[in-house]
Amino acid sequence: PVRQRRRRGPPGGAEVRGGGVGCVRRALVDGFRGGQLQVAGQLQHQAGGPRVVRLKRRLAFVRKHLPPKVQLAATVSVEHLTAIMADAILQNPDWLRGADPSMARLWRWHALEESEHKAVAFDVMTKVAKVWYPRRILAMIEVSISFPIHTFLILNYMLKKDGFGLFQRTKMWAS
């Protein structure tokens, strides 16, 4: 079982350890983690402004006050949603048509990584931490509500900052 303090080493179970290490190794070998992805993350943080700051405060509160199993269930829920979006990107290559080739490659790579993250996080939750099923359901409900709201607010802020008016932003969302 997961102890109340966070683990420092890799999670138990050979199959989980192998998946986690392999995932990290592939990310490092590919080279995106140290380059384009890090720059993209910094730009996103700057562009998201106060919305990102509020989200980071909320996450700090969660880390401080909620038990590790609840945090793990929420993490797995977020990974599940991002894996669904990643699969949609991979299934719809037209979505990246017209994108800069290096950015399209980054998005495809990131989509594959999201699928791996989901698998590793789910294995840790079910095989190592053995998170209670109702707790997992509650986490998925909470994340299914809060994740789209935060995403919308951050994207809306970035579009507004880029000079898009309310009518233009509404038209984008409607299309």
Side-chain angles (χ1 to χ4, degrees):
V2 173
R3 295 186 185 144
Q4 285 300 330
R5 61 177 202 195
R6 283 147 196 85
R7 296 173 182 262
R8 296 216 180 255
E15 71 230 28
V16 176
R17 260 197 310 273
V21 172
C23 185
V24 172
R25 186 180 303 123
R26 281 186 293 282
L28 291 173
V29 168
D30 197 287
F32 279 122
R33 285 270 185 231
Q36 289 174 299
L37 194 59
Q38 187 176 18
V39 170
Q42 290 169 349
L43 290 173
Q44 185 181 25
H45 180 268
Q46 291 169 359
R51 296 289 179 192
V52 171
V53 170
R54 284 187 206 124
L55 181 58
K56 285 189 171 197
R57 266 194 239 129
R58 182 173 183 228
L59 293 174
F61 176 86
V62 165
R63 279 192 291 275
K64 183 176 180 179
H65 298 290
L66 294 181
K69 285 188 178 186
V70 172
Q71 293 179 45
L72 179 59
T75 298
V76 172
S77 297
V78 170
E79 293 296 347
H80 183 75
L81 291 180
T82 56
I84 290 171
M85 292 185 290
D87 185 61
I89 287 174
L90 295 172
Q91 297 295 323
N92 298 286
D94 289 349
W95 291 2
L96 296 175
R97 185 178 293 141
D100 179 272
S102 64
M103 290 306 296
R105 189 171 144 240
L106 173 64
W107 275 108
R108 284 190 296 275
W109 170 83
H110 191 62
L112 292 170
E113 284 293 301
E114 288 302 326
S115 297
E116 284 192 28
H117 294 168
K118 175 191 167 196
V120 171
F122 185 80
D123 285 348
V124 170
M125 180 180 67
T126 58
K127 296 176 182 168
V128 178
K130 300 186 184 340
V131 176
W132 188 43
Y133 189 71
R135 181 174 281 165
R136 292 163 42 189
I137 292 171
L138 289 173
M140 190 65 187
I141 291 169
E142 192 279 328
V143 167
S144 294
I145 294 167
S146 65
F147 185 85
I149 291 170
H150 286 295
T151 302
F152 170 79
L153 292 173
I154 290 169
L155 180 57
N156 188 55
Y157 176 83
M158 291 189 309
L159 290 171
K160 186 177 181 180
K161 190 172 178 181
D162 281 349
F164 291 97
L166 177 62
F167 178 74
Q168 291 171 306
R169 294 191 314 267
T170 305
K171 190 175 171 183
M172 283 183 207
W173 281 105
S175 62

